[in-house]
């Protein structure tokens, strides 16, 4: 039986619900409703502290490790500044992927799907492939620059809004049909992209392949003044509406009975998710497995479904995974352009370990 309490805040003025609060003894209650016992609350803050410590160590390592210039010289700080740009990109990607995936899974009531299912990355691959197919190798540079970044974000957000507006606003619109159509459209775009890739010359295909691997090195520093406000606005709004996400995760019937317009809430969440996914995909390319891995591990680690506590754990876990993978590949294997490979290998192994140990999602 879910533990549902009522709290009125100036910002939300809605009931506060915790989907899965387990029974607890009177002495062990936390009083917040997000955790069943005080022991779980203490464990959560210990976990957050460990993740923050690991994040700081990784961030310092990325910025300062193996700097060839003497400490304190102009050259040392110039190299540090260049590396700090990659650190900002990693933080942006992690915030976008973690917040978008957790919110999307709550909106769809499904823990095994990610926003990628709606065709964001398939559209990105199709646009990049079409540029090279119609303009040759120069097509890669044609899609580089701030106007092209804006165009890419607008196209992906517009594509998602068209899909949501069409499939959720009709009389018979529902989430399952929207997801199915998203899968079909994503598959269709992928097939078109594959056909065009087969028509490319080997040199053109080699150039295109480098762009289609999700990599921090793909990011251009000139994109950051646009990407940072988009990320802060969308992720901040979703975090501010965490209490509403707690209710949406309980399903349509409960959401409606608690006085919320379920369809309007879902449309708003999906719009913000599309902004986050479009920003990260246009910035570094497709990273299909990262959001799924981070969201799943965050729920396993946080032991609560309250989004106010899940979001920080998801972001910190994502930074440890992506930042750690970037640091290892760059400084040990000298292959920083293949971050997505180590995420698939190490992250996937950790995911299977947690699932097999817990025996459930």
């Amino acid at each position: 039986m879910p533990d549902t309490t009522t709290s009125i805040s100036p910002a939300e003025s809605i009931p506060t619900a915790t989907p899965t609060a387990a029974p607890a003894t009177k002495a062990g209650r936390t009083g917040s409703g997000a955790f069943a016992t005080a022991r779980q609350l203490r464990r959560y803050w210990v976990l957050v502290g460990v993740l923050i410590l690991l994040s700081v160590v990784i961030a310092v390592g990325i910025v300062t490790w193996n700097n060839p210039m003497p400490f304190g010289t102009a050259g040392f700080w110039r190299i540090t500044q260049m590396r700090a740009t990659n650190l900002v990109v990693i933080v942006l990607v992690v915030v976008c992927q973690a917040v978008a995936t957790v919110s999307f899974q709550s909106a769809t009531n499904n823990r095994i799907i990610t926003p990628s299912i709606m065709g964001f990355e398939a559209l990105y691959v199709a646009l990049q492939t079409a540029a090279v197919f119609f303009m040759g190798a120069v097509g890669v540079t044609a899609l580089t620059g701030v106007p092209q970044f804006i165009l890419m974000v607008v196209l992906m957000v517009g594509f998602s809004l068209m899909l949501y507006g069409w499939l959720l606003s009709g009389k018979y619109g529902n989430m399952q049909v929207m997801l199915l159509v998203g899968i079909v459209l994503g598959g269709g775009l992928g097939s078109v992209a594959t056909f065009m890739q087969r028509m490319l010359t080997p040199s053109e295909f080699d150039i295109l392949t480098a762009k289609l691997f999700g990599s921090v090195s793909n990011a251009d520093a000139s994109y950051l003044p646009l990407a940072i406000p988009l990320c802060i606005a969308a992720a901040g709004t979703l975090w501010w509406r965490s209490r509403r996400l707690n209710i949406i995760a309980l399903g349509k019937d409960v959401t409606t009975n608690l006085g919320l317009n379920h369809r309007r809430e879902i449309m708003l969440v999906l719009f913000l998710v599309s902004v986050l996914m479009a920003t990260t995909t246009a910035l570094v390319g497709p990273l299909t497995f990262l959001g799924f891995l981070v969201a799943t591990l965050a729920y396993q680690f946080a032991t609560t479904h309250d989004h106010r506590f899940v979001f920080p754990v998801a972001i910190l876990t994502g930074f440890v995974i992506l930042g750690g993978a970037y640091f290892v590949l760059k400084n040990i294997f000298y292959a920083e352009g293949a971050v997505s490979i180590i995420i698939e290998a190490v992250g996937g192994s950790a995911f299977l370990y947690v699932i097999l140990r817990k025996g459930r999602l």
Side-chain angles (χ1 to χ4, degrees), residues 247-265:
I247 298 176
I248 293 171
L250 296 174
K252 181 179 180 180
D253 294 337
V254 176
T255 303
T256 304
N257 288 334
L258 289 175
L260 294 180
N261 186 324
H262 182 262
R263 180 172 296 178
R264 186 181 63 190
E265 296 295 331

Side-chain angles (χ1 to χ4, degrees), residues 203-350:
S203 59
E204 291 172 342
F205 182 77
D206 189 47
I207 295 173
L208 176 65
T209 302
K211 291 288 293 182
L212 298 185
F213 268 108
S215 173
V216 175
S217 58
N218 286 343
D220 191 327
S222 61
Y223 300 164
L224 296 181
L226 290 172
I228 291 175
L230 286 174
C231 176
I232 292 176
T237 303
L238 285 170
W239 185 85
W240 183 65
R241 300 173 67 85
S242 294
R243 296 176 188 275
R244 290 176 181 262
L245 281 173
N246 293 343
I247 298 176
I248 293 171
L250 296 174
K252 181 179 180 180
D253 294 337
V254 176
T255 303
T256 304
N257 288 334
L258 289 175
L260 294 180
N261 186 324
H262 182 262
R263 180 172 296 178
R264 186 181 63 190
E265 296 295 331
I266 291 293
M267 291 282 288
L268 180 57
V269 170
L270 293 180
F271 167 70
L272 296 172
V273 167
S274 68
V275 172
L276 291 174
M277 289 304 297
T279 301
T280 181
T281 304
L283 189 64
V284 300
L287 284 172
T288 305
F289 195 65
L290 179 63
F292 175 67
L293 173 67
V294 166
T296 303
L297 290 178
Y299 279 115
Q300 299 290 335
F301 292 156
T303 63
T304 179
H305 291 199
D306 193 326
H307 291 76
R308 293 173 299 168
F309 297 93
V310 173
F311 281 147
V313 173
I315 293 171
L316 290 171
T317 304
F319 184 83
V320 171
I321 292 174
L322 184 59
Y326 177 79
F327 177 81
V328 170
L329 275 178
K330 180 182 179 183
N331 296 290
I332 297 179
F333 298 103
Y334 304 103
E336 59 181 298
V339 172
S340 58
I341 295 175
I342 199 168
I343 289 176
E344 294 283 351
V346 179
S349 299

